[in-house]
Amino acid sequence: MSELWVERHRPRTVGDIKGQRAVVERLKAYAEKRTFPHLLFAGPPGTGKTTAAIALARDVFGEEYRTNMLEMNASDERKLESIRTKVKSFARTAPVPGTNFKVIFLDEADALTPDAQGALRRIMEQYAETCRFILSCNYSSKIIEPIQSRCAVFRFRPLAEDQVRDMIVNVAKEEKIQLHSDAADAIVHVSLGDLRKAITSLQVASSLDSNVTRELIYETTATAPPEELHGFFLACQQDGFQPARRRLRELLDKFGLAGTDLVNQLHRELGNVTFFDESQKLKVTEIMAETDFRMVEGGGESLQLDAMTASICSKINQEQ
């Protein structure tokens, strides 16, 4: 994989961005006017926040936009000193001739410490005439209110399944990859609206075989297919603890899953299980939440998963 497909197929202008229709329309207006206020992009990973920031800068400044833009990952440089030195030094210098302002893009800004955010707020005030900030974050609630009030806030949402599928099919066509229809559906299933994860999943699978199948997608993404997860729940209901425990071990070994990953995948599929009623699903959800918490806190994975399986078998059989 000499080049990441995520970068190769990244939209170059705001108008090329797929999905996020409301966001794109507002950013297009900024691009046409060639100016914009401070911006805050909030939303889950892989929904286009970084792409939107870079595309907007390119639309405003042209292909040489990087000479007028500072990109920083705030999770790497999250402390007060980074804001006072690197950010302030760039903000106080004059924009490139022919432009009215420069841009500072802070990715993962919700990782900044409170002190660093306080310093950033002051810099945003001091240099507002000659410098614009674009902040991206997963959780806008972690950004202090004085910064949020100085920004136009854009909410990015997970992409719709049809949008992810169309993009994956187009990428496969451009990369001359044979993508089976059910493999495309599998990529949509595992990506959860994260286009970056979807494209990366396709590239990883295609590096092993240019004929990308459903089985290959689940194998390379360490994800159990829905029917395998349903089989575990069915074993809990019909076969009892020992058969269900064996199914659990098979899932862990076959797909290389960590315990917390398996619990999260089971939780996601629980809503699609038709042979549990609502009361049973509520009890199973509580059991899985307790198991996940115990493993995160350091509980032994094998023992906790066995306890989860035993509890599900017990609760389900009590309901019948």
Side-chain angles (χ1 to χ4, degrees), residues 240-252:
F241 173 68
Q242 288 298 345
R245 184 173 181 266
R246 284 195 294 271
R247 290 298 296 264
L248 185 80
R249 297 295 158 198
E250 290 171 4
L251 283 171
L252 292 170

Side-chain angles (χ1 to χ4, degrees), residues 125-301:
E125 292 174 344
Q126 284 182 304
Y127 301 100
E129 291 299 319
T130 58
C131 189
R132 301 290 190 276
F133 285 81
I134 303 178
L135 282 61
S136 79
C137 63
N138 293 336
Y139 305 101
S140 60
S141 59
K142 294 184 179 181
I143 303 296
I144 61 174
E145 187 59 36
I147 289 180
Q148 292 194 46
S149 66
R150 287 167 173 77
C151 297
V153 180
F154 290 77
R155 305 287 179 184
F156 287 71
R157 293 172 174 77
L159 273 68
E161 292 186 355
D162 59 334
Q163 294 172 336
V164 174
R165 196 182 199 285
D166 289 345
M167 188 64 186
I168 289 301
V169 170
N170 289 336
V171 169
K173 187 179 299 183
E174 291 184 25
E175 298 293 340
K176 297 179 173 55
I177 299 299
Q178 183 178 353
L179 178 66
H180 293 214
S181 179
D182 56 357
D185 293 337
I187 292 176
V188 171
H189 177 76
V190 302
S191 66
L192 294 172
D194 182 336
L195 187 56
R196 179 170 56 235
K197 183 176 181 179
I199 295 175
T200 301
S201 299
L202 175 62
Q203 184 176 11
V204 171
S206 67
S207 69
L208 300 179
D209 192 339
S210 60
N211 182 28
V212 179
T213 62
R214 180 179 187 268
E215 292 72 21
L216 186 59
I217 292 298
Y218 282 117
E219 178 185 336
T220 55
T221 56
T223 305
E227 64 272 14
E228 296 279 359
L229 300 172
H230 287 209
F232 166 73
F233 286 127
L234 195 61
C236 290
Q237 182 190 53
Q238 297 183 355
D239 303 327
F241 173 68
Q242 288 298 345
R245 184 173 181 266
R246 284 195 294 271
R247 290 298 296 264
L248 185 80
R249 297 295 158 198
E250 290 171 4
L251 283 171
L252 292 170
D253 295 341
K254 183 176 180 180
F255 298 101
L257 297 173
T260 53
D261 291 336
L262 176 59
V263 173
N264 286 328
Q265 291 179 29
L266 286 169
H267 173 247
R268 180 186 174 190
E269 283 305 318
L270 181 61
N272 299 321
V273 172
T274 57
F275 45 83
F276 287 173
D277 60 30
E278 195 69 14
S279 175
Q280 291 172 324
K281 289 181 181 180
L282 290 174
K283 288 182 170 58
V284 172
T285 298
E286 291 176 349
I287 293 168
M288 290 191 293
E290 181 66 23
T291 302
D292 183 67
F293 175 77
R294 289 178 176 176
M295 287 192 291
V296 169
E297 289 295 303
E301 181 178 287

Side-chain angles (χ1 to χ4, degrees), residues 35-98:
T35 185
F36 52 86
H38 300 311
L39 306 176
L40 175 60
F41 296 162
T47 52
K49 300 187 298 295
T50 300
T51 294
I54 295 175
L56 179 60
R58 180 182 276 112
D59 285 347
V60 172
F61 300 126
E63 289 301 320
E64 301 299 319
Y65 71 96
R66 291 195 182 276
T67 62
N68 213 31
M69 182 179 185
L70 172 66
E71 293 183 58
M72 286 179 57
N73 190 307
S75 63
D76 295 332
E77 302 181 79
R78 61 194 299 268
K79 295 184 179 179
L80 176 61
E81 192 61 28
S82 295
I83 298 299
R84 282 180 171 171
T85 54
K86 188 174 289 188
V87 173
K88 190 171 183 177
S89 296
F90 185 82
R92 71 201 313 176
T93 58
V96 171

